[in-house]
Amino acid sequence: MKVSEVMTAPPVTVAPDVRLAEAARRMAEAAVGSVVVVDGEGVLVGVVTDRDIALRGLGGGLDRNAAVDAVMSDRVVTVDAGDDLQAAYRAFRRTGVRRLPVLELGRVVGVLTVDDLFLDVFRRLADLLGPVARTVLQEPSGRDCAGGTSQAGSSSATG
């Protein structure tokens, strides 16, 4: 499976001169924890997380009107849209980040998060569990085996 099949697209992006308050508003509207900072041509410049705004920005004494480039991480780990998903798993393990901008031909086309990978794992488990659950539901219970009743664990209640 390719990164492009699991990533969230399009990414929420901002320019480097966008104010912290505006970046936070866009995160809230999109229900995401980060924005990708791109230049005018869509080239990745950095990433700003809600934590960056809270701790490095406002907690660091910056005004809500400071530009995002004051708090963004500019050393960003990325994956390519055409990469196999295993490359993303390795990048997450190696770096400890929770979000990876996804590039295609040098431009940001999406974001892959740890949550996206959890959803992929859950889908795969559901695919495996579906047939197993149907098989278990179709098997006869211990009571029906060999034409008799099971004595183990039986009790009678009188009233």
Side-chain angles (χ1 to χ4, degrees):
M1 183 175 288
K2 301 293 182 200
V3 167
S4 60
E5 297 174 59
V6 181
M7 71 182 188
T8 300
V12 180
T13 62
V14 297
D17 61 348
V18 164
R19 304 295 169 226
L20 295 177
E22 174 64 15
R25 186 187 65 72
R26 290 188 193 178
M27 284 185 219
E29 284 178 355
V32 296
S34 68
V35 291
V36 180
V37 183
V38 296
D39 67 13
E41 297 174 18
V43 175
L44 178 67
V45 177
V47 171
V48 174
T49 67
D50 48 7
R51 186 174 171 87
D52 293 332
I53 292 173
L55 299 181
R56 284 198 253 173
L58 304 177
L62 293 178
D63 183 83
R64 62 191 301 271
N65 290 317
V68 295
D69 64 358
V71 299
M72 75 180 185
S73 299
D74 57 2
R75 297 177 70 190
V76 181
V77 179
T78 64
V79 290
D80 191 77
D83 285 347
D84 186 77
L85 207 50
Q86 293 306 314
Y89 277 97
R90 285 190 299 275
F92 280 119
R93 268 194 314 268
R94 186 182 75 247
T95 63
V97 298
R98 298 187 59 214
R99 303 161 182 95
L100 295 171
V102 180
L103 305 179
E104 188 171 68
L105 302 174
R107 302 284 188 263
V108 180
V109 295
V111 174
L112 185 68
T113 68
V114 171
D115 292 348
D116 294 327
L117 295 185
F118 281 139
L119 290 174
D120 176 59
V121 168
F122 293 147
R123 274 189 229 109
R124 291 173 188 243
L125 283 174
D127 289 346
L128 289 173
L129 291 176
V132 170
R134 282 190 294 276
T135 302
V136 169
L137 292 173
Q138 292 173 358
E139 288 181 4
S141 66
R143 180 168 293 206
D144 297 332
C145 291
T149 59
S150 173
Q151 297 286 324
S154 65
S155 64
S156 64
T158 58

